[in-house]
Amino acid sequence: MTEQLKPDTFEILDPFTTSDRLSEGIPPHAATALQGLKHVLLARLEEARLGGHVYWNRDEIVDRPVDIDGLAGKVRYIPTFAYRKAVYDQRPACPCSLCGVLESRDNVITLPDKDADSDFMDKFNDSFALGFNNFPYFDGQLLLTVRQHRELFTRNQYGLIFDFMERTKFAGAAIQLHGSGATIPEHAHISLFDEVLPIFSSEYRPLKEKDGVVVSASTEHPSVCYKIDGESKGAKLDRTTAILDELLRLGLSFNLYFDSQSSAYVIPRTNRRARSIDMKVGSPLAAGVYYGYVEYSNTSDIELLKQEIWQRCQEITGKELAAALKETTVQGEDPAAIL
């Protein structure tokens, strides 16, 4: 193999120790109450991990840089995904597992009562529930679930996400919905995490500017990838939802991401699965991160599953990942044409 899995630097953006306790409240360095909320959420996530409810060990993660047809991506070995295959994928079928979580309140995080921005949090809590992802693939990963069973987000909900990202400064968020490669496509939800995605660092060329909002296209991504950026949250929301509505009108789906500056990134989608690698292409791969999940493994032995995942991460190439993206995203047309 020309590409061999080797350790890369795994950077923790917002490190904290297990001695951090919720009773300490908002840390002194936090600029806002909602940045303090981020600290609380990460502390609760760490408690859940230590309690065995979240399968994640950052010390065992191995990243390999990979060139995905010009995009500086990475292949990620996640040994705890063996438990996802052995435990999560073998669970009894249910109409909607996210609705089940909301009804039972299992894995739902109760937010602190005291918050300096209670008006925003009241609106946010009316639309979303915060919870744990038992089998994360990013550091600091949490789950934001729409309280109503629906496949798409409303415009107001997108506005709340813009606000939440700007206020909390989580490094990233990925929208999960029908057609985007989501594991649970019938119930719209969001993966919230504290790692920077490869597409956030990509080079972009401006396409259009209006009302102080610039829409750009990645010059490195093998697919059409937009970035929507500007000072006005209202104008950014208008431009982003206009693009999303047009994609839906054209019969397409999309991957949508937010960074810590509440810039939005949109990748139009044509298919959920890629035949070339025989698996669904989810939001991580569309953003430049591939994890070697072994969807069709016949074993439930944890150590054997870890070996199979490791082998899959060894074998996959940047050429194969680029082919998978080209099978599942918009290709070969002027990005400005959709705008």
Side-chain angles (χ1 to χ4, degrees):
M1 290 293 167
T2 58
E3 297 177 345
Q4 288 296 307
L5 194 66
K6 57 182 182 294
D8 192 21
T9 302
F10 183 75
E11 180 183 2
I12 303 171
L13 295 185
D14 192 7
F16 56 91
T17 67
T18 55
S19 64
D20 289 331
R21 288 292 177 263
L22 305 184
S23 59
E24 294 176 2
I26 299 173
H29 64 274
T32 68
L34 284 179
Q35 288 182 28
L37 173 62
K38 173 186 171 180
H39 183 85
V40 170
L41 291 173
L42 291 177
R44 291 192 177 176
L45 176 60
E46 180 67 0
E47 289 181 352
R49 187 188 71 84
L50 294 173
H53 304 294
V54 173
Y55 292 81
W56 175 260
N57 187 343
R58 64 174 64 93
D59 294 334
E60 295 181 350
I61 301 299
V62 182
D63 287 338
R64 166 168 64 89
V66 62
D67 181 351
I68 308 176
D69 196 17
L71 178 67
K74 57 186 172 185
V75 174
R76 168 161 290 186
Y77 169 64
I78 309 173
T80 47
F81 259 29
Y83 296 94
R84 172 177 170 173
K85 177 64 180 175
V87 178
Y88 179 79
D89 285 1
Q90 307 306 317
R91 72 197 189 286
C94 62
C96 176
S97 58
L98 291 181
C99 285
V101 167
L102 292 174
E103 291 172 5
S104 67
R105 297 196 61 78
D106 289 342
N107 287 342
V108 173
I109 302 173
T110 302
L111 298 175
D113 294 331
K114 185 177 180 181
D115 196 295
D117 203 342
S118 58
D119 289 343
F120 169 77
M121 288 308 301
D122 286 344
K123 294 176 183 178
F124 187 82
N125 287 327
D126 285 342
S127 285
F128 298 104
L130 267 162
F132 300 120
N133 182 331
N134 300 105
F135 304 95
Y137 38 86
F138 290 130
D139 203 43
Q141 187 170 345
L142 294 163
L143 181 68
L144 283 175
T145 305
V146 175
R147 291 190 180 275
Q148 298 79 25
H149 182 87
R150 53 183 298 144
E151 292 184 354
L152 296 173
F153 295 89
T154 66
R155 185 183 187 281
N156 287 339
Q157 287 169 336
Y158 282 128
L160 288 171
I161 299 166
F162 269 112
D163 277 346
F164 183 85
M165 295 302 294
E166 184 175 66
R167 294 165 187 247
T168 62
K169 300 302 180 185
F170 270 92
I175 301 297
Q176 309 282 4
L177 44 76
H178 184 74
S180 70
T183 303
I184 308 171
E186 66 275 6
H187 193 139
H189 58 288
I190 304 163
S191 294
L192 180 70
F193 43 87
D194 213 30
E195 285 192 61
V196 175
L197 297 176
I199 59 169
F200 296 172
S201 303
S202 179
E203 294 291 331
Y204 289 85
R205 62 179 177 88
L207 298 176
K208 288 190 176 182
E209 182 175 0
K210 182 180 179 182
D211 299 329
V213 175
V214 178
V215 180
S216 306
S218 172
T219 61
E220 300 169 337
H221 201 289
S223 312
V224 173
C225 175
Y226 300 113
K227 179 179 180 179
I228 302 99
D229 194 22
E231 295 297 326
S232 168
K233 287 184 289 185
K236 274 194 298 188
L237 175 61
D238 289 342
R239 199 72 191 100
T240 301
T241 53
I243 293 173
L244 302 182
D245 288 344
E246 178 63 10
L247 293 176
L248 294 174
R249 188 191 69 80
L250 294 172
L252 301 171
S253 184
F254 51 84
N255 290 112
L256 172 62
Y257 311 87
F258 299 89
D259 65 18
S260 62
Q261 304 303 312
S262 75
S263 297
Y265 302 77
V266 180
I267 299 176
R269 293 292 299 267
T270 56
N271 295 294
R272 182 171 180 263
R273 296 186 66 88
R275 292 182 180 180
S276 60
I277 59 173
D278 195 21
M279 67 177 290
K280 69 179 181 65
V281 172
S283 60
L285 178 50
V289 181
Y290 171 81
Y291 51 78
Y293 193 56
V294 286
E295 183 177 357
Y296 298 113
S297 176
N298 294 318
T299 184
S300 59
D301 182 273
I302 296 299
E303 294 306 315
L304 288 178
L305 283 168
K306 288 181 180 180
Q307 292 176 23
E308 290 184 7
I309 294 170
W310 175 265
Q311 186 64 31
R312 182 60 177 157
C313 289
Q314 290 273 23
E315 295 172 345
I316 198 73
T317 66
K319 185 177 180 180
E320 289 175 306
L321 297 179
L325 287 176
K326 290 175 181 178
E327 286 183 64
T328 56
T329 57
V330 170
Q331 300 292 314
E333 59 184 76
D334 182 4
I338 295 177
L339 303 180

